[in-house]
């Protein structure tokens, strides 16, 4: 049963992943390694919005300009060499074996208040599983708020859909096509509507009850990429900034461990995106990737090349 939120759990990384694959959630208090990471993120954010306060800058700029700022800020965070270094420190601190732990470049997310910008570069996420976007069942998401969050600008989990099929249109999502056609700088021009084909439920979702975990800035939330999750509609008066990155353990990948597959039909795989924790360059060996691949590579690009990353 998925019914537990572990708080500052001392479980080993192996045990923790096992629990996450059964639908449990983990919350951790801020620690020096994560506080250093959010300091790094805050510096970039505050420089980008200066002299405005980033949490309220949306009330003092036209949306076009705001999206432009995010369009520069987010890639600069994603590709900053210090960002990977911080993840390495955090993974070690959290007990992961770096030689077996592979991660994708960290993403910076923002959720603006009062529907200021909910498309493109600041997309307000409808309920989804990352596995509807070609993530493997062993992917674990690490989520860290950069400033303190509150209930009305948090993220939400819908755990009753764990291991319970939801009708969805993920069969239309091919990861290679996505890499080739739908990623990149143009997302910051999507101010009113989002033209990307984003996998979503095709039946009504019962949004309540839902779980919102409120960790302080620099706290960590860990959850399975198969967990149904969404952005809470932000009515807080403050823009939420958060970091997330996706992690795969190579033994899980090789043994095909992970969350149960229930309703995902996306094709292609994100397996080639993850970089080994020891050197940030080694990718998961192709023979393991092939356990997750299909014959759709010809549809686009195996990995995202343009370096804009959104
Ligand atoms: Fe997600």
């Amino acid at each position: 049963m998925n019914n537990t939120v572990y708080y500052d759990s001392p479980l080993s990384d192996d045990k923790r992943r096992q629990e996450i694959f059964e639908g449990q959630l983990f919350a951790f208090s801020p620690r020096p390694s994560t506080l250093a990471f959010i300091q790094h993120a805050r510096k970039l954010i505050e420089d980008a919005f200066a002299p405005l306060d980033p949490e309220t800058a949306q009330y003092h700029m036209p949306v076009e300009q705001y999206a432009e700022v995010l369009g520069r800020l987010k890639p600069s965070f994603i590709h900053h060499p210090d960002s990977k270094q911080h993840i390495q420190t955090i993974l070690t601190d959290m007990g992961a074996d770096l030689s077996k732990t592979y991660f994708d470049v960290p993403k910076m997310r923002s959720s603006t208040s009062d529907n200021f910008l909910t498309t493109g570069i600041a997309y307000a996420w409808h309920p989804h599983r990352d596995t509807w976007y070609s993530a493997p069942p062993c992917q674990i998401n690490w989520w860290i708020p950069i400033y303190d969050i509150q209930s009305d600008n948090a993220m939400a989990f819908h755990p009753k859909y764990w291991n319970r099929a939801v009708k969805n249109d993920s069969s239309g999502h091919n990861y290679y096509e996505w890499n080739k056609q739908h990623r990149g700088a143009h997302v910051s021009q999507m101010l009113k509507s989002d033209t990307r084909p984003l996998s979503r439920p095709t039946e009504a979702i019962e949004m309540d009850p839902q779980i919102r975990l409120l960790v302080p800035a620099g706290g960590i939330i860990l959850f399975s990429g198969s967990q149904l999750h969404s952005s809470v509609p932000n009515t807080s008066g403050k823009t939420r900034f958060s970091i997330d990155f996706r992690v795969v353990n190579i033994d899980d990948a090789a043994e095909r461990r992970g969350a149960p597959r229930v309703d995902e039909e996306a094709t292609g795989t994100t397996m080639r995106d993850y970089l080994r924790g020891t050197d940030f360059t080694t990718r998961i060996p192709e023979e393991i990737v092939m356990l997750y691949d299909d014959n759709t590579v010809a549809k686009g690009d195996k990995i995202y090349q343009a370096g804009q990353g959104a």
Side-chain angles (χ1 to χ4, degrees):
M1 282 298 289
N2 60 319
N3 48 24
T4 306
V5 178
Y6 286 90
Y7 176 72
D8 280 340
S9 163
L11 282 183
S12 68
D13 183 57
D14 286 345
K15 286 262 170 30
R16 195 166 61 207
R17 298 196 320 277
Q18 223 175 333
E19 291 297 299
I20 290 171
F21 296 155
E22 288 173 14
Q24 321 299 5
L25 300 168
F26 283 74
F28 292 90
S29 301
R31 42 213 292 141
S33 59
T34 54
L35 290 171
F37 195 19
I38 66 165
Q39 269 319 113
H40 160 66
R42 283 183 185 185
K43 171 90 177 71
L44 296 175
I45 296 170
E46 285 157 22
D47 286 351
F49 285 104
L52 298 171
D53 172 348
E55 290 182 285
T56 51
Q58 65 169 90
Y59 297 105
H60 306 284
M61 306 168 77
V63 70
E64 294 78 10
Q65 189 192 347
Y66 192 88
E68 266 175 45
V69 172
L70 289 184
R72 284 191 300 272
L73 166 64
K74 291 188 173 181
S76 79
F77 172 78
I78 291 173
H79 301 292
H80 198 296
D82 290 358
S83 296
K84 288 181 184 143
Q85 204 67 55
H86 282 292
I87 294 181
Q88 185 184 61
T89 310
I90 292 168
L91 290 171
T92 305
D93 180 26
M94 292 288 289
D97 177 346
L98 283 187
S99 67
K100 295 187 173 198
T101 305
Y102 291 64
F103 63 87
D104 189 8
V105 289
K107 307 286 161 60
M108 180 188 284
R109 313 274 181 193
S110 48
S111 162
T112 64
S113 191
D114 307 307
N115 291 316
F116 175 67
L117 178 61
T118 58
T119 49
I121 194 80
Y123 192 76
W125 278 96
H126 54 261
H128 69 281
R129 309 184 199 274
D130 287 10
T131 46
W132 293 353
Y133 293 82
S134 315
C138 60
Q139 179 184 290
I140 294 177
N141 293 11
W142 292 55
W143 193 91
I144 300 173
I146 300 171
Y147 299 96
D148 283 341
I149 52 171
Q150 47 199 71
S151 177
D152 50 5
N153 69 6
M155 64 171 294
F157 297 102
H158 309 280
K160 74 170 153 186
Y161 292 103
W162 179 261
N163 211 1
R164 186 171 138 190
V166 174
K167 288 200 184 81
N168 67 85
D169 58 7
S170 64
S171 61
H173 183 90
N174 175 261
Y175 190 56
Y176 311 125
E177 213 169 69
W178 175 258
N179 281 336
K180 189 172 184 174
Q181 294 178 23
H182 302 295
R183 291 175 75 172
H186 64 285
V187 292
S188 57
Q189 277 127 47
M190 294 180 188
L191 302 176
K192 293 276 186 288
S193 64
D194 205 303
T195 54
R196 296 171 295 172
L198 297 165
S199 306
R200 62 181 70 237
T202 52
E203 64 174 302
I205 295 290
E206 286 176 43
M207 296 296 280
D208 293 304
Q210 57 177 246
I211 294 177
R212 303 176 182 183
L213 294 177
L214 302 188
V215 292
I220 311 173
I221 297 171
L222 299 185
F223 60 100
S224 162
S226 297
Q227 191 77 251
L228 198 72
H229 57 287
S230 63
S231 307
V232 169
N234 186 345
T235 53
S236 68
K238 283 185 170 182
T239 306
R240 181 250 290 165
F241 291 91
S242 57
I243 297 167
D244 56 78
F245 53 95
R246 292 94 182 265
V247 176
V248 162
N249 175 285
I250 196 168
D251 291 345
D252 293 342
E255 301 295 325
R256 309 194 67 141
R257 289 191 289 255
R261 291 179 67 90
V262 284
D263 56 17
E264 39 279 280
E265 296 179 64
T267 52
T269 178
T270 59
M271 271 294 190
R272 294 180 186 86
D273 290 351
Y274 310 104
L275 306 171
R276 191 167 64 188
T278 45
D279 57 25
F280 317 145
T281 46
T282 306
R283 294 181 192 262
I284 291 181
E286 197 62 15
E287 65 266 24
I288 297 178
V289 174
M290 290 314 287
L291 298 172
Y292 298 85
D293 209 0
D294 42 39
N295 54 5
T296 61
V297 166
K299 284 181 174 237
D301 295 336
K302 275 187 184 174
I303 51 174
Y304 180 57
Q305 298 285 11
Q308 294 293 327

